[in-house]
Amino acid sequence: MVREGEITSNRAIKVRLMTNPTQEKFFKHHINISKAVYNWTVHQMLDDYEKYDKAKTEYLDSLPKDLSEEAYKKAKKDFESTHKKDYVRSAGDIRKLLRITVKEDKEHWGWLNKLGQFDSYALHFTITSNINNALKKFKDNYGANKARVANKRKKYKERGSNKKLTYPYSYGFPQYKKPNKAKSYPTNVKVKDIDRENHRIRLPWIGWVKYSKHQDIPMFEFPSINVANAVISTDGVHFYLSFGYYEPFKPLYTEDSDSIGVDLGMKNVAILSNGHIVPNVADNPKVKKYLKKISKLKRKLSWLQEHSEVFYKRKQELKEDEWAKAKWKMDTRQTRKIKEHIKKLQIKLNNYKNNLLNNQCHEIVMTNPKRIAFENLNVKGMQQNKHISSKLQQTGMYTFKKTLAWHAKKHNIPCAEIDRYYASSQTCSNCGTKNEKMKNLKIRTFVCPKCGLVIDRDLNAAINIDKQWDSPKTKPFG
């Protein structure tokens, strides 16, 4: 148990930067720098792994053919542990090589100084943080990816396909970033660079940049600890700064606090065991208004693409299959304007939905629950049903669970998931009798055949979920 006043795990904050054209140009340039460095590093590491894989294959082929399976595996493991370092360079070695390459190869890297100076953190942090994280993910998921690739190879063989899956491309190795996928770059921010009174932050080389007055950065009670993992990102319209910081633990609940069971649904996102109902974000009038505006603009865009003179001439030149792909890449002044309008509306919609969701979860946590137990639904299986799949996507059950667990973790409130196959809706919360009739989802009121309890179906399920906390099949969540 974490005591009051002790430092908890690193938390994160994201603020919108109020940029001018010069600052936007600077940020876009550094996003391109980060992408170029990332792709160059991936290329270097792929070369290393190809050399290593070739050397390993030659070594294993040179072994005696009558060697036992156990001895073969041991020889393979010994080669990997002793010779891998000879072929695969560390991130530090590649970083040193990059520094030399940038200085010497002005033909390919001269564009870095396009704006006079550039933030060197964009170069070095891309390798030390982004590449290291990608490689860690590659190593952690190697076993699962290897099994997945083996199954794919088996299927290709059964179909008679000649398609090859080569190492390490097929094993979850870091992939090249495409131009449209590069939307962030790492930088460096210190506590002394944050001016809370004037709502501004000092960034390397660009200087002071204002952030939104509607957002607030908390006072840091531990000035000796710097903020960490600062990243500049964009959604195509605005620029944001996000970073991590430390916060002291603030307990909410006491020994007398009640526990909460959460039953998930589609009409309402969740029904709690204390009777509180969490409405579906998709049913909010403002959300519907945004969706209506977006669909109207998409219809207008489609009409322009069909009836514009520029599009019509291009359509006559291409075949039907080629035109279907080409029309989305073409742009006129009108279509570009509509696309930008759609993008802005989608950002506003996402921000509004996230705000609603976080407020709902914050309200639940502020009721001082001792613990929170969640229902474990097979959402992937439910999405197979064509009648409810679209509604299910709008509801966002898993997003709600994850957000609520995140808010609970801030105050050290434990969360768990009960057994997926526990019949929470069919069991009486008073006496434990099972009512098989409740398999019919149209019946919304639970009536116990033994004790005569009459209760709402979802509320009954939420109470049962709360009672399952001590079950051996209950697993921690969040």
Side-chain angles (χ1 to χ4, degrees), residues 29 40 57 62 123 131 133 149 194 199 203 206 211 227 232 236 294-295 318 388 445 469 471 477:
H29 179 63
W40 179 85
T57 306
S62 66
L123 245 70
I131 288 288
N133 290 340
V149 170
I194 300 168
H199 285 266
L203 298 172
I206 196 67
Y211 64 88
V227 296
I232 302 286
I294 290 166
S295 61
L318 298 172
I388 62 169
T445 304
W469 180 272
S471 171
F477 179 80

Side-chain angles (χ1 to χ4, degrees), residues 349-373:
L349 173 62
N350 291 336
N351 289 341
Y352 184 73
K353 284 170 76 174
N354 287 336
N355 186 48
L356 278 177
L357 185 63
N358 279 289
N359 287 343
Q360 288 170 349
C361 296
H362 180 72
E363 280 179 23
I364 294 167
V365 170
M366 287 299 113
T367 58
N368 297 4
K370 190 176 182 180
R371 62 194 184 201
I372 300 172

Side-chain angles (χ1 to χ4, degrees), residues 159-172:
R159 293 174 195 163
S161 173
N162 295 324
K163 192 172 179 181
K164 290 184 178 180
L165 294 165
T166 56
Y167 174 83
Y169 299 92
S170 55
Y171 289 75

Side-chain angles (χ1 to χ4, degrees), residues 325-341:
K325 293 177 183 177
K327 73 175 182 179
W328 297 108
K329 294 179 182 178
M330 284 182 64
D331 263 335
T332 62
R333 186 178 59 82
Q334 283 180 306
T335 56
R336 203 179 296 116
K337 202 172 180 181
I338 291 169
K339 281 181 181 179
E340 284 177 10
H341 195 181

Side-chain angles (χ1 to χ4, degrees), residues 8 11 14 78 116 129 147 156 215 238 242 283 318 345 412 437 456 478:
T8 61
R11 285 193 59 204
K14 188 175 184 178
D78 289 342
S129 59
Y156 290 147
Q215 293 176 287
H238 307 296
S242 56
D283 293 333
L318 298 172
L345 281 173
N412 207 38
K437 290 180 182 178
D456 179 75

Side-chain angles (χ1 to χ4, degrees), residues 252-269:
L252 274 180
Y253 69 87
T254 60
E255 292 180 2
D256 301 329
S257 300
D258 294 328
S259 55
I260 286 178
V262 182
D263 179 68
L264 302 170
M266 286 202 300
K267 186 181 178 183
N268 298 305
V269 177

Side-chain angles (χ1 to χ4, degrees), residues 242-365:
S242 56
F243 54 85
Y245 66 95
Y246 291 90
E247 184 182 70
F249 168 60
K250 297 172 185 176
L252 274 180
Y253 69 87
T254 60
E255 292 180 2
D256 301 329
S257 300
D258 294 328
S259 55
I260 286 178
V262 182
D263 179 68
L264 302 170
M266 286 202 300
K267 186 181 178 183
N268 298 305
V269 177
I271 294 88
L272 310 185
S273 55
N274 59 10
H276 180 70
I277 295 171
V278 183
N280 194 339
V281 173
D283 293 333
N284 186 280
K286 200 169 180 179
V287 171
K288 287 181 177 178
K289 192 178 176 181
Y290 276 123
L291 289 170
K292 197 175 179 180
K293 280 184 181 179
I294 290 166
S295 61
K296 190 178 177 181
L297 284 168
K298 282 183 176 178
R299 284 198 300 272
K300 191 177 178 181
L301 177 66
S302 182
W303 188 90
L304 282 169
Q305 287 172 336
E306 290 297 325
H307 296 84
S308 171
E309 193 177 326
V310 178
F311 279 80
Y312 180 76
K313 284 179 182 177
R314 185 67 175 148
K315 190 177 182 180
Q316 302 306 311
E317 296 170 6
L318 298 172
K319 294 177 183 177
E320 193 175 339
D321 295 342
E322 293 174 346
W323 169 245
K325 293 177 183 177
K327 73 175 182 179
W328 297 108
K329 294 179 182 178
M330 284 182 64
D331 263 335
T332 62
R333 186 178 59 82
Q334 283 180 306
T335 56
R336 203 179 296 116
K337 202 172 180 181
I338 291 169
K339 281 181 181 179
E340 284 177 10
H341 195 181
I342 289 169
K343 191 183 278 187
K344 284 180 180 179
L345 281 173
Q346 283 176 334
I347 290 165
K348 282 184 178 180
L349 173 62
N350 291 336
N351 289 341
Y352 184 73
K353 284 170 76 174
N354 287 336
N355 186 48
L356 278 177
L357 185 63
N358 279 289
N359 287 343
Q360 288 170 349
C361 296
H362 180 72
E363 280 179 23
I364 294 167
V365 170

